[in-house]
Amino acid sequence: MNKSVVSKVVLVFAGAVASACGLLGLGGKKGGDQGELVGVPGREGWVMTIPYGMVPIPAGTFHMGQADEDPASTQINFNKQVTIGSFFMDDTEITNNEYRQFTNFFLVDNGSIEGFETVDAETFRQKYYPDTASWVRDFAHHMGDPIQDYYYWHPGYDDYPVVGVNWDAAVFFGQWRTAYLNDYRKSVGDFPMPAFRLPSEAEWEYAARGGRDMAKYPWGNPYIRNSKGCMLANFKPGRGNFYDDGFAYSSPVQSYFPNDYGLYDMSGNVSEWCLDDFNPASVPTVWDLNPQYIDPRTNPESAKYNPRVPPKKVVRGGSWKDVAYYLETGTRTYEFKDSTRAYIGFRCAMTHLGRSSGQEF
């Protein structure tokens, strides 16, 4: 046998013996890795699991933008092909009872998480507690008192989407949810999961279409009723006929069929905050891979920062008080980030780390 071949066989055998005897990968002991580049030990076993209450959204490419006519003549959402990486998304909007777990952590339990900067009760009430008065304030000459009095705290509304939270409250909820989950995972020796956050506008639209490229609505085209005449979402079907879809105001989550990704109420019920700043010209400006628009005028870290410019955030999906145009997957609108509305809620997303094996989706 050739001497070089014999040498290679001996080296492979010696490496196998060293590995079996625990000599390789012991970077913490001097000489334990025999001077070889073997990486840092103790980092094995990471698994990207699906978070509770979320569904996986596979990576893909779609045409972001208008899926039908533009009756408002906004010209702010021309079609653009965009690629989205895989991520996870809450299957429903965050409910009153889910948000109550968040509020109780600060106001009832006085909880704390190592490494997470908490806030005092008074600051929390002012900044993050739902603004129940929005039910009266948002609509002129409206008997909203019963909704204001019961919507958030009564168990009859536990499964309804939370409203009256501004963009900052939705972001802080995601930060708390991340710390809350990873604090538990640390206690059982698991690696931390990626952060919960608001979905970008592109992620939201991609998820809303449910794999149906150019679809007008999450369920497809082109109608808002099924073959039996039943409404497919909670919105304002006619001029004042709010109850035609079965609910005068918002509805419990999962009251209507999900889209093909398993997401409920991507159209109607309550509108949803997105991560992006709003700009009518942002679509042709952003990159075509996982785009997110950040307005330099409202970003304190930007040289173009102007504190007099009120920050606007993208709102998508339409709500119980909107006409069908706002339910379309391609319709863009906005709200000021510090606004609390009786028709705007949110859901969280989480980035999927690494390439999918295909089994998650």
Side-chain angles (χ1 to χ4, degrees):
M1 182 180 293
N2 188 289
K3 287 186 177 181
S4 63
V5 175
V6 173
S7 299
K8 291 180 180 178
V9 172
V10 171
L11 286 173
V12 171
F13 176 74
V17 171
S19 178
C21 295
L23 299 178
L24 294 180
L26 300 179
K29 295 183 179 181
K30 186 177 181 179
D33 54 19
Q34 298 184 351
E36 300 294 343
L37 185 66
V38 296
V40 177
R43 297 174 61 81
E44 302 81 8
W46 162 255
V47 177
M48 187 79 221
T49 57
I50 301 176
Y52 180 78
M54 287 188 152
V55 296
I57 310 297
T61 301
F62 78 115
H63 289 84
M64 183 177 178
Q66 292 174 208
D68 198 12
E69 296 178 351
D70 183 15
S73 299
T74 59
Q75 299 184 351
I76 63 172
N77 205 11
F78 296 108
N79 293 120
K80 178 177 183 176
Q81 194 171 38
V82 170
T83 296
I84 300 295
S86 55
F87 64 102
F88 301 101
M89 197 172 198
D90 283 326
D91 60 352
T92 71
E93 293 141 345
I94 298 299
T95 65
N96 283 321
N97 206 30
E98 289 172 333
Y99 200 83
R100 187 173 296 106
Q101 183 180 354
F102 167 59
T103 59
N104 283 359
F105 180 87
F106 293 94
L107 302 181
V108 178
D109 304 331
N110 295 317
S112 63
I113 301 172
E114 183 180 356
F116 179 71
E117 186 175 353
T118 188
V119 295
D120 62 86
E122 185 58 32
T123 300
F124 185 90
R125 287 191 182 94
Q126 292 178 3
K127 298 180 65 175
Y128 306 124
Y129 196 83
D131 179 15
T132 57
S134 60
W135 286 102
V136 175
R137 186 182 60 250
D138 283 352
F139 313 106
H141 308 294
H142 166 244
M143 194 185 71
D145 291 350
I147 307 297
Q148 172 184 263
D149 293 343
Y150 296 109
Y151 186 81
Y152 180 62
W153 74 267
H154 197 280
Y157 289 102
D158 274 359
D159 293 330
Y160 286 65
V162 67
V163 295
V165 294
N166 62 26
W167 187 87
D168 286 325
V171 169
F172 186 64
F173 175 91
Q175 294 170 349
W176 167 83
R177 186 178 177 185
T178 303
Y180 192 72
L181 172 63
N182 286 334
D183 184 60
Y184 168 77
R185 291 179 64 87
K186 181 181 179 181
S187 70
V188 296
D190 288 338
F191 289 102
M193 292 285 280
F196 293 99
R197 55 176 174 78
L198 291 176
S200 69
E201 180 180 16
E203 284 177 330
W204 191 97
E205 183 173 329
Y206 175 72
R209 294 181 188 271
R212 299 170 180 256
D213 196 18
M214 303 296 292
K216 183 177 179 180
Y217 299 112
W219 52 84
N221 292 323
Y223 305 111
I224 55 176
R225 297 178 185 265
N226 63 16
S227 59
K228 296 182 178 180
C230 299
M231 290 291 180
L232 294 169
N234 180 12
F235 66 111
K236 182 180 178 180
R239 297 184 177 182
N241 189 7
F242 288 91
Y243 199 69
D244 198 20
D245 52 42
F247 300 93
Y249 294 95
S250 60
S251 61
V253 296
Q254 298 185 345
S255 293
Y256 301 87
F257 294 113
N259 71 1
D260 290 347
Y261 285 156
L263 298 169
Y264 295 86
D265 297 321
M266 293 302 284
S267 283
N269 210 9
V270 297
S271 301
E272 301 176 16
W273 290 112
C274 291
L275 200 59
D276 300 50
D277 293 314
F278 178 83
N279 188 317
S282 64
V283 173
T285 304
V286 297
W287 201 28
D288 50 8
L289 172 61
N290 289 325
Q292 178 196 350
Y293 180 76
I294 301 174
D295 192 338
R297 300 173 303 169
T298 60
N299 182 10
E301 298 179 1
S302 171
K304 298 181 179 179
Y305 175 64
N306 184 350
R308 292 177 295 180
V309 176
K312 299 176 182 178
K313 291 295 182 178
V314 172
V315 173
R316 286 298 202 110
S319 74
W320 57 267
K321 62 93 181 171
D322 291 317
V323 295
Y325 169 70
Y326 291 98
L327 270 63
E328 296 181 17
T329 55
T331 299
R332 305 182 69 217
T333 186
Y334 71 90
E335 187 54 84
F336 296 102
K337 71 178 292 189
D338 59 353
S339 297
T340 54
R341 299 296 188 189
Y343 46 85
I344 298 180
F346 69 100
R347 71 180 79 207
C348 294
M350 174 189 285
T351 302
H352 178 274
L353 301 184
R355 183 177 180 179
S356 166
S357 67
Q359 297 178 351
E360 302 97 329
F361 306 106

